[in-house]
Amino acid sequence: MTVNSSSASLKHNKVIHKPKSTVGLAWRFLLRDWRSGELWLLVAALLMSVSVSTAIALFSDRLQLALGRQVAEVLGADMLIRSPGPVQPEIIEAARKQGLKLSTVLEFPSVVMAGDKMQMVSAKAVENNYPLRGHIRTADQPFAPDQIVNDTPSPGEAWLEPRLFPLLGVAIGDQVMLGNTWLTITRAITLETDRGGDFYSFSPRLMFNMADLESTGIIQPGSRVSWKTLMAGELSSLEQFKAWSKSRLDTSEQLLMADDSRRDLRNSVVRLKQFLGLASMAAMLLAGVAVAMASQRFAERRFDSCAVMRCLGASRQQVLRLLLGELAFVAVLVALPGVLIGWLLQEGIVQLLRGVLPAWLPAAGITPMVIGGLTGVITLAGFGLAPLLRLQDVSPLRVLRRDLSPAPAASWLVYGFSLMAVFLLLWYHTGEVVMALILAVASGAVLMMISLGVQLLLTQLGNRQRLAALPVFWRPGVSRIIRGKGKTSAQLLAFTLTFMAMAVVLLLRTDLLDRWQNELPDETPNYFAMNIQPSEVDAYSEFLTINDVDTSQLYPIIRGRLVRINDVPVREAVTKEQENHNALNRELNMTWSETLPENNRIEQGEWWEPGSNEGLSIEAEIAENLGIDLGDRLTFMVSGNEFTETVSSIRSVQWESFRPNFYMIFPEAVLQDLPATWLNSFYLDAEDKLLLNGLVTQFPTMTLLDLDAVISQVKKMLAQSTIAVEAMLAALLMAGLLVMMSVIESSIDERLHEGALIRSLGGTRRQLLIMQIGEFVLFGILAGLLAACGTELASYLLNTRVFQLRWEPAWFIWCALPLFGAAVLGIAGWLGIRRVISQSPANILQEV
């Protein structure tokens, strides 16, 4: 104990007896400790906790909103209502009152004529403010370079899809007749932002102005028309409107959010959000570890002053109130600058990555900053309170017996309280309860392994003979473990959790990047050819072969409805919530295949043998949504004929692959006699696109869908997601290094005294350096091995339960983590303990 600490306690003894002065005395204690340098480690740890949590929260929030906007661009709006007729007026009025922007779009099949030619088209009438999100791309000539446009067809104009030009034999400037009116062709459409994700039912597009709809005379009572009411606005307004309208929409009106429209984009964005949530959790876990170690050091340096206060009449409650008051002042004073530093950090990241992040990034919101500040306070309470509780048990006899320390609280209670704080904080901060549980379970498993490992080490090295057999640079570390079991466990837990948090995020980052790269290779099919007639299959295949076009397998398409499940009408076999599933409200696209398609994986059951005449493979998500299991009998109706098959396998499908994917696949013998058209996807370079004119001319009934713009959008989003992942990883690595330094600093007092004793007994600086670094190397190896166990457990649970990725054991981490731990802790230990070997032993021992 220093003289200053004792005199300060004596000086304020009279104030201690006045409860009303507790706040003032806590403030004076805070000023004294700050001037003496006692608080810097705790303040630094708490500052890291608040700033890193705030930075990640702000960056994640802004990026998720930006990517959500990009998904909305594919829908043309943030939300839409699809219906067969005009939406109820009260629904429209309520949307306007919520401040939402609205735009109406009508789509309907029709026949368009040009001269003596006619063609079935998908006509689309749009208002002048279409689309609300995203953009349209057009070209001056079909299959020519395109550009973004900010307008829509003017009254009297029509924009045609490029494949319509050769089918109708028209050019820019010609006229076509739609219904009763003539429209002048002014542009070729290359991208409609809301074209949607059903690749199997598109006719060539003709877009015209809503003002011309009445003059066409096409829309009559009973006409087959799809109304889409597009909506855009703030997320809070959208959520309020969605909740309000849920019970007011009739059965024919379907509300869709942007995330529901495109599974190819949705899954990637969802995984990115989950990863950002995981990075936030890991950062908060590291911050909690730093705060816990700093609080432990703060508490241990208060033993003597608390003993003096107890001798002068302070009660246990008074001592605890003073210390908690000082801690509360620290939390409040650090929160504001921590939030400011966090804002500056994320703004710096945004500025550095401005060229690769989404062009539109919302401003930093106040909510993430408030949550970041509260995170620091909650972290301090969850991790810093447990060590301070020991101070109320300091005995007054410590004034006479310096070796008398308060009994440590039950380790299971202290660590259990901290882990519970972690779980609640992570759950609240990210809303990902499954991920929070997984990290809590993995952290608890690490705690158990550390406890058992320390007990085993104590058992095996409990006598001097075994200790003497160890290398000399490991003996001090092992001796410290034996002497101070609780402190050693805490430090080992801190190092292990730090390595584990960084390793889990690094592994998931690698898995995600590999998944994204595999989903969209360089030659991802950018065209879908549909409605290929059976008589044209051979000629179509020959055309692609002659022109050396990279193509995928040809699939037959049979359209049918699911009518019964286990011989029960489908509407009666499912729950009320399942009745609204899209698969029950439209015809399904079914196919046959003797082999499992690429990018599909069997989750349950088995694929049939070639030549089999029975079996059904169903996609996993629709099976789960409709409650369908292996062995269930499904009855389908195709062209008025019914047939029944038993579910023999359940598949997961990689919808992001931009390749033909299907809900239902059968053996060829089951569907071969049913009417079918054929589907194919292929890749075409930009310079080869003129081949499309010949393809469309040779096969006029074929439907061709251009996905180039959509794939470019997805690739751009994935590139931005990759940058975000890398930024999160860099921030996490920095936080991990700060944690390790704080853990080392928390034990510096003991190391200074131990080093002074060794030096005074004749030890050299070199010997002391070797022993200290050897101890950190030993800690690094042990922490690395334990972290590898926790990482494998967390990685398995996260991959299989959250990210829906294939898990494989990461064998390399069993070697990499111990080596990394030894190297990093060895270097960090050397940087942190230079004071131990540089200070004079006499000066240190005088302070004892």
Side-chain angles (χ1 to χ4, degrees):
M1 175 188 68
T2 62
V3 176
N4 290 338
S5 298
S6 300
S7 61
S9 299
L10 287 169
K11 182 178 179 180
H12 301 297
N13 179 44
K14 293 182 180 180
V15 188
I16 290 175
H17 294 284
K18 299 179 181 179
K20 65 181 180 180
S21 303
T22 299
V23 174
L25 188 56
W27 174 253
R28 297 175 69 176
F29 272 37
L30 174 71
L31 296 178
R32 182 202 66 182
D33 289 340
W34 178 255
R35 287 192 296 267
S36 65
E38 295 289 321
L39 283 175
W40 79 267
L41 182 60
L42 182 61
V43 168
L46 190 59
L47 196 63
M48 185 199 78
S49 171
V50 176
S51 59
V52 172
S53 298
T54 302
I56 291 180
L58 283 170
F59 185 73
S60 300
D61 185 63
R62 296 179 70 185
L63 187 64
Q64 289 179 35
L65 289 175
L67 292 176
R69 171 69 67 87
Q70 289 189 340
V71 175
E73 290 178 0
V74 179
L75 187 68
D78 296 321
M79 181 168 61
L80 66 80
I81 298 176
R82 181 177 292 146
S83 59
V87 177
Q88 303 169 57
E90 57 269 25
I91 300 291
I92 299 297
E93 184 62 27
R96 288 200 174 99
K97 287 182 178 179
Q98 288 287 349
L100 301 179
K101 298 178 182 178
L102 301 177
S103 182
T104 301
V105 174
L106 269 67
E107 295 182 11
F108 53 89
S110 185
V111 173
V112 64
M113 292 184 294
D116 59 350
K117 293 185 178 181
M118 63 179 59
Q119 176 66 40
M120 178 69 73
V121 298
S122 174
K124 184 174 189 176
V126 298
E127 295 183 335
N128 292 331
N129 63 344
Y130 166 86
L132 298 180
R133 296 282 187 245
H135 50 261
I136 307 173
R137 298 183 70 95
T138 66
D140 295 332
Q141 296 293 332
F143 303 113
D146 62 356
Q147 60 278 329
I148 295 175
V149 295
N150 297 316
D151 58 348
T152 57
S154 300
E157 293 182 356
W159 294 356
L160 271 59
E161 201 170 323
R163 56 191 163 121
L164 263 179
F165 286 82
L167 293 176
L168 292 172
V170 295
I172 298 295
D174 291 344
Q175 287 191 322
V176 293
M177 174 173 275
L178 180 66
N180 300 325
T181 190
W182 287 93
L183 302 173
T184 302
I185 305 169
T186 56
R187 296 182 195 171
I189 307 171
T190 58
L191 172 69
E192 299 168 71
T193 188
D194 63 334
R195 188 62 187 253
D198 185 1
F199 295 157
Y200 310 122
S201 59
F202 289 127
S203 297
R205 173 72 78 205
L206 181 148
M207 183 184 296
F208 67 103
N209 195 284
M210 186 73 75
D212 293 321
L213 181 64
E214 185 176 355
S215 63
T216 65
I218 295 176
I219 306 302
Q220 301 294 332
S223 297
R224 183 184 173 188
V225 182
S226 174
W227 290 69
K228 292 197 298 186
T229 303
L230 308 182
M231 303 179 185
E234 297 297 328
L235 182 60
S236 58
S237 299
L238 292 168
E239 293 293 344
Q240 290 178 11
F241 175 79
K242 180 181 179 181
W244 177 86
S245 63
K246 187 175 181 180
S247 59
R248 292 172 172 83
L249 294 173
D250 62 36
T251 55
S252 65
E253 296 170 335
Q254 182 184 13
L255 188 144
L256 293 175
M257 297 292 288
D259 285 349
D260 301 326
S261 63
R262 287 296 298 270
R263 300 177 67 172
D264 46 6
L265 298 180
R266 181 190 67 190
N267 292 343
S268 295
V269 173
V270 166
R271 289 196 187 103
L272 175 63
K273 290 180 180 180
Q274 291 170 336
F275 181 86
L276 294 176
L278 176 65
S280 301
M281 292 180 180
M284 286 185 285
L285 182 62
L286 293 179
V289 171
V291 169
M293 300 309 298
S295 298
Q296 182 177 347
R297 180 175 184 265
F298 177 81
E300 290 176 351
R301 294 173 74 92
R302 296 298 176 281
F303 287 164
D304 293 337
S305 58
C306 289
V308 171
M309 286 190 288
R310 292 295 308 281
C311 287
L312 297 177
S315 66
R316 295 171 57 184
Q317 291 75 19
Q318 286 178 307
V319 171
L320 186 60
R321 282 200 299 268
L322 284 174
L323 292 170
L324 291 180
E326 185 175 358
L327 207 62
F329 277 127
V330 170
V332 173
L333 293 176
V334 170
L336 185 59
V339 169
L340 178 60
I341 293 173
W343 182 87
L344 292 174
L345 283 174
Q346 65 84 28
E347 190 63 30
I349 293 174
V350 169
Q351 293 301 325
L352 287 173
L353 304 178
R354 183 164 294 279
V356 292
L357 290 177
W360 178 83
L361 275 177
I366 189 66
T367 302
M369 289 189 280
V370 173
I371 292 177
L374 291 176
T375 294
V377 177
I378 297 171
T379 302
L380 184 60
F383 287 91
L385 188 60
L388 291 180
L389 294 178
R390 295 178 61 193
L391 293 176
Q392 63 179 338
D393 296 325
V394 173
S395 171
L397 293 178
R398 183 176 169 86
V399 174
L400 302 176
R401 292 183 56 187
R402 294 296 309 278
D403 60 334
L404 190 62
S405 298
S411 45
W412 67 268
L413 182 62
V414 175
Y415 293 129
F417 182 78
S418 297
L419 288 176
M420 180 59 68
V422 171
F423 172 72
L424 294 177
L425 185 61
L426 299 183
W427 186 7
Y428 174 77
H429 192 70
T430 65
E432 292 283 353
V433 63
V434 177
M435 278 201 290
L437 279 172
I438 287 172
L439 280 186
V441 168
S443 301
V446 166
L447 174 60
M448 292 181 61
M449 287 187 291
I450 289 175
S451 179
L452 294 175
V454 170
Q455 290 288 353
L456 181 62
L457 193 60
L458 288 173
T459 303
Q460 296 297 321
L461 301 175
N463 58 68
R464 295 185 178 182
Q465 289 78 12
R466 291 179 177 174
L467 187 61
L470 295 175
V472 66
F473 51 84
W474 280 9
R475 292 176 194 169
V478 177
S479 298
R480 192 187 304 277
I481 291 175
I482 296 174
R483 293 197 315 270
K485 173 186 171 183
K487 293 181 181 178
T488 299
S489 297
Q491 292 179 9
L492 191 57
L493 177 64
F495 289 134
T496 302
L497 290 179
T498 301
F499 292 150
M500 189 186 80
M502 292 190 292
V504 167
V505 174
L506 181 61
L507 277 182
L508 264 298
R509 166 257 184 200
T510 304
D511 290 342
L512 279 180
L513 296 187
D514 289 346
R515 176 67 178 263
W516 287 338
Q517 186 175 4
N518 293 334
E519 285 171 358
L520 287 177
D522 292 337
E523 295 188 353
T524 298
N526 55 353
Y527 286 92
F528 270 68
M530 298 161 283
N531 297 328
I532 304 171
Q533 301 303 311
S535 60
E536 299 174 333
V537 169
D538 292 338
Y540 171 83
S541 299
E542 183 179 359
F543 180 94
L544 297 183
T545 302
I546 292 174
N547 291 284
D548 196 26
V549 176
D550 184 14
T551 183
S552 67
Q553 177 182 344
L554 274 159
Y555 288 95
I557 300 295
I558 295 91
R559 297 181 64 81
R561 284 185 175 274
L562 175 63
V563 294
R564 285 194 294 276
I565 300 177
N566 292 325
D567 300 323
V568 178
V570 67
R571 296 289 178 181
E572 300 176 13
V574 299
T575 64
K576 187 174 181 61
E577 293 76 14
Q578 294 168 340
E579 286 182 3
N580 295 324
H581 194 277
N582 196 33
L584 305 183
N585 298 313
R586 64 179 178 89
E587 289 186 328
L588 300 174
N589 295 292
M590 304 178 290
T591 191
W592 72 67
S593 178
E594 295 302 299
T595 59
L596 182 68
E598 187 180 0
N599 302 314
N600 284 227
R601 186 173 75 246
I602 296 295
E603 300 292 344
Q604 300 179 46
E606 296 181 354
W607 194 258
W608 45 79
E609 295 293 332
S612 176
N613 59 1
E614 61 181 17
L616 164 60
S617 182
I618 184 172
E619 189 265 342
E621 188 172 328
I622 191 175
E624 180 181 357
N625 290 337
L626 297 182
I628 297 173
D629 297 317
L630 285 177
D632 285 350
R633 290 165 48 82
L634 305 187
T635 302
F636 300 89
M637 178 174 289
V638 178
S639 301
N641 299 314
E642 289 189 3
F643 67 94
T644 301
E645 284 295 328
T646 301
V647 177
S648 57
S649 66
I650 297 177
R651 294 168 292 114
S652 60
V653 176
Q654 189 176 327
W655 295 101
E656 305 93 329
S657 64
F658 285 90
R659 296 181 184 274
N661 289 307
F662 304 90
Y663 284 126
M664 309 288 179
I665 302 180
F666 299 82
E668 180 177 357
V670 176
L671 301 182
Q672 63 182 352
D673 296 330
L674 297 175
T677 59
W678 290 75
L679 164 74
N680 171 248
S681 64
F682 58 87
Y683 173 77
L684 208 59
D685 288 324
E687 57 269 20
D688 296 329
K689 288 191 175 182
L690 291 179
L691 289 173
L692 297 175
N693 283 312
L695 183 65
V696 173
T697 303
Q698 184 173 344
F699 306 102
T701 61
M702 180 190 68
T703 300
L704 191 66
L705 179 63
D706 184 351
L707 294 179
D708 251 341
V710 176
I711 292 174
S712 297
Q713 175 84 339
V714 175
K715 285 186 174 181
K716 183 179 179 181
M717 290 179 61
L718 295 184
Q720 294 163 352
S721 301
T722 300
I723 294 297
V725 167
E726 300 290 2
M728 292 296 98
L729 183 62
L732 200 61
L733 289 175
M734 184 184 301
L737 293 176
L738 291 174
V739 170
M740 286 186 281
M741 293 305 298
S742 69
V743 175
I744 292 171
E745 186 66 26
S746 68
S747 63
I748 198 66
D749 293 339
E750 184 179 351
R751 297 181 189 280
L752 283 170
H753 295 155
E754 186 181 78
L757 288 174
I758 293 175
R759 293 281 305 283
S760 64
L761 294 175
T764 65
R765 290 186 177 183
R766 182 174 179 275
Q767 290 174 329
L768 185 59
L769 183 63
I770 291 175
M771 287 188 292
Q772 294 283 1
I773 293 180
E775 179 182 346
F776 282 111
V777 169
L778 175 61
F779 263 110
I781 293 173
L782 291 175
L785 289 172
L786 292 168
C789 296
T791 299
E792 286 281 37
L793 175 62
S795 175
Y796 169 76
L797 294 174
L798 288 170
N799 273 287
T800 57
R801 306 299 180 190
V802 178
F803 291 92
Q804 304 302 318
L805 297 172
R806 183 186 295 274
W807 177 81
E808 293 180 358
W811 301 113
F812 70 94
I813 68 170
W814 292 92
C815 295
L817 278 180
L819 293 176
F820 174 78
V824 170
L825 287 188
I827 296 172
W830 176 77
L831 293 174
I833 64 172
R834 285 180 295 177
R835 281 181 290 164
V836 175
I837 61 175
S838 62
Q839 292 194 26
S840 168
N843 293 337
I844 296 175
L845 293 176
Q846 284 178 358
E847 296 180 2
V848 179

